[in-house]
Amino acid sequence: MGADIAVLQTPDGNGRIEMFQYVHSDAIEAEPVQPNTIGMHRVCFAVDNIDAALEAAARHGCHPLRGVATYEDVYKLTYLRGPSGILVMFAEKLQKAD
């Protein structure tokens, strides 16, 4: 078994995403996994406005799994279920007041 791999970079050079697919003659169906399951099955996107990102995702039928959480007043975070059951995380960095 092998894999096809592509690495995409954002035009500003600050972001990259690696995409891959296994080269295998038979597809293997599996149930969607939880965020803490061992293995690579999720992707995180840094977003400027998590509410706007959620509105865009909702237009495609994707909704937060457990709402939006604030992590130590630094990030707002949420998980969604994307294509093929992959977990998609949105993270908005919160601005600290000076």
Side-chain angles (χ1 to χ4, degrees):
M1 177 182 341
D4 292 328
I5 301 172
V7 178
L8 308 175
Q9 182 171 325
T10 57
D12 64 5
N14 290 324
R16 291 183 187 85
I17 185 168
E18 179 181 288
M19 301 175 70
F20 67 92
Q21 73 176 11
Y22 292 107
V23 178
H24 191 277
S25 59
D26 299 319
I28 300 170
E29 289 291 329
E31 294 295 318
V33 295
Q34 297 300 312
N36 60 344
T37 302
I38 294 173
M40 179 58 197
H41 48 265
R42 63 184 167 268
V43 62
C44 178
F45 292 100
V47 296
D48 294 328
N49 182 320
I50 203 164
D51 295 322
L54 286 171
E55 287 176 16
R59 290 192 293 271
H60 298 279
C62 299
H63 303 281
L65 296 176
R66 294 191 181 122
V68 177
T70 300
Y71 176 73
E72 296 186 0
D73 294 327
V74 178
Y75 284 97
K76 284 174 69 174
L77 308 167
T78 191
Y79 283 101
L80 305 96
R81 226 7 118 190
S84 300
I86 190 168
L87 289 168
V88 177
M89 182 174 150
F90 290 158
E92 175 187 344
K93 187 170 186 176
L94 301 174
Q95 301 297 322
K96 294 224 177 208
D98 292 330

